[in-house]
Amino acid sequence: MKTLKDLRPGEKAKVLAVEGCEEIKQKLYDLGIIPGEVVEILQDAPFGGPIKIKVHDYCLALRRKEASCILVEESK
C-alpha cells in the first residue's frame, strides 16, 4: 500500500484512508484530506522537508510524518 509521501511531484492519487492517532487524523480531515478526495503532489522539499500538495482548489504543506499516515491509490 502506498502513502502520500511515496509519490513524486506531478502525480495524483485518491485518498483511501487516514491512519494514525486521532489528533493527526482529525487535523487532516479538517484540511479536506478525506477518503475519496484526489490530491496532487506539487513539490517535494529536499532533505526531509515538507511535501506541498493540492487538494480541492488550495495548496497545503504537510510534514512527512503526516503524509505517511495517508494511504493512497494512484490516479491517472
Side-chain angles (χ1 to χ4, degrees):
M1 182 105 1
K2 280 195 169 190
T3 65
L4 198 59
K5 80 171 191 162
D6 299 325
L7 301 178
R8 303 254 184 252
E11 292 183 320
K12 292 183 180 182
K14 182 170 79 170
V15 176
L16 297 177
V18 178
E19 297 183 336
C21 70
E22 288 301 314
E23 219 173 87
I24 291 175
K25 197 175 195 179
Q26 187 59 51
K27 176 184 173 188
L28 294 172
Y29 283 173
D30 290 346
L31 293 170
I33 302 171
I34 57 175
E37 285 299 322
V38 175
V39 297
E40 180 181 0
I41 305 298
L42 298 176
Q43 190 176 13
D44 189 3
F47 308 112
I51 297 169
K52 186 176 178 182
I53 67 168
K54 181 177 180 182
V55 61
H56 299 288
D57 289 334
Y58 54 92
C59 298
L60 297 170
L62 296 177
R63 293 180 184 99
R64 289 185 186 276
K65 180 180 177 182
E66 294 165 339
S68 68
C69 296
I70 303 167
L71 301 176
V72 297
E73 173 182 74
E74 286 186 74
S75 302
K76 295 179 181 164

